[in-house]
Amino acid sequence: MKYTNIVFDIDGTLLDTEYAVLHSLQDTVREAAGTEMPLLELTFALGITGADALERLHITDIPNTLDRWNENMGKYADTVTVFDGMRDVLENLRKAGCEMGIVTSRTREEYGHDFRSLSIGHYFKTIICADDTRKHKPDGEPLLKYMELSGAGHGNILYVGDSEYDSRCAGNAGVCFALAVWGSHREDIRAEYYLREPACLLSAITDAFRGAE
């Protein structure tokens, strides 16, 4: 099999968190800066670390504001769901013998919030969070760290994500990239595979396997 390791981003890829992330950030900016920002002006925060997002918003007390953002996320926890069809995909990948991992811009604490309640964490062996590396997406370091810990080679990894940052991270690490169109709603991001729904991932892996024979 060409891709022995399937590595996922979380937000916009495994989990539909857009509503929760943007509304909680809107609440946090209102509290921290007294500014009411339209949701469309906050979409840049999807796919980057929380600290980077707050820095771009010129928030000065980033550590405390991050804590408050996490608290506000809790108010929208019931809006966070696993994308339709994703559980079946993960189970089929497991049965096929694929090793699955995560490379995310979430911190280790943030990673645990949704995965505890949504019960999909057991599928993933190697987890790389924002606090595991010095540099973050779009730098390739998070995927390089994944390789270091998992022992997987560049050519055996397929990284699945929804953002330009994910694509560039994969490219900088020399890893093939699959765009989760179901979460990004875009097809202008560089990728080896454009996946309209989670089930398309299985077809992409099967085609890659046939091509490697």
Side-chain angles (χ1 to χ4, degrees):
M1 181 181 293
K2 180 178 180 180
Y3 300 123
T4 58
N5 290 65
I6 312 301
V7 184
F8 294 86
D9 174 50
I10 293 179
D11 300 287
T13 304
L14 290 169
L15 303 183
D16 186 354
T17 57
E18 182 172 324
Y19 186 95
V21 168
L22 295 181
H23 281 80
S24 61
L25 179 55
Q26 186 182 55
D27 293 347
T28 303
V29 171
R30 185 188 306 116
E31 294 168 4
T35 302
E36 188 70 32
M37 292 194 66
L39 294 175
L40 283 176
E41 292 183 18
L42 297 174
T43 56
F44 73 89
L46 299 171
I48 65 176
T49 68
D52 286 344
L54 294 178
E55 185 175 350
R56 291 195 192 185
L57 289 166
H58 307 293
I59 301 295
T60 53
D61 186 0
I62 290 179
N64 286 327
T65 307
L66 275 175
D67 289 342
R68 184 57 186 155
W69 188 359
N70 286 329
E71 292 172 5
N72 284 330
M73 272 284 289
K75 297 188 299 185
Y76 300 98
D78 61 346
T79 70
V80 176
T81 59
V82 180
F83 278 107
D84 288 344
M86 182 56 72
R87 292 182 191 274
D88 289 340
V89 168
L90 295 175
E91 182 60 21
N92 284 321
L93 289 173
R94 184 193 66 78
K95 289 178 178 178
C98 291
E99 184 171 309
M100 287 173 279
I102 285 175
V103 167
T104 177
S105 295
R106 291 185 178 209
T107 64
R108 185 70 55 173
E109 179 183 2
E110 292 166 346
Y111 163 77
H113 288 168
D114 298 315
F115 274 68
R116 279 194 293 268
S117 61
L118 295 172
S119 302
I120 59 172
H122 63 284
Y123 285 108
F124 306 103
K125 182 176 180 181
T126 303
I127 315 296
I128 305 300
C129 296
D131 31 13
D132 294 321
T133 59
R134 186 175 63 86
K135 296 180 180 178
H136 307 115
K137 297 185 287 187
D139 194 274
E141 186 173 326
L143 274 169
L144 295 174
K145 184 69 174 180
Y146 176 88
M147 292 180 219
E148 175 189 334
L149 295 183
S150 68
H154 298 74
N156 299 122
I157 295 173
L158 180 63
Y159 186 43
V160 187
D162 68 302
S163 73
E164 179 72 30
Y165 273 43
D166 295 327
S167 171
R168 289 165 58 193
C169 177
N172 288 330
V175 168
C176 286
F177 179 64
L179 181 68
V181 177
W182 66 82
S184 69
H185 311 296
R186 294 177 58 183
E187 293 189 58
D188 60 341
I189 295 173
R190 184 210 65 82
E192 280 71 35
Y193 306 95
Y194 294 86
L195 312 178
R196 294 191 174 278
E197 58 185 15
C200 294
L201 177 58
L202 300 175
S203 299
I205 293 170
T206 300
D207 291 346
F209 173 72
R210 290 171 178 163
E213 290 180 330

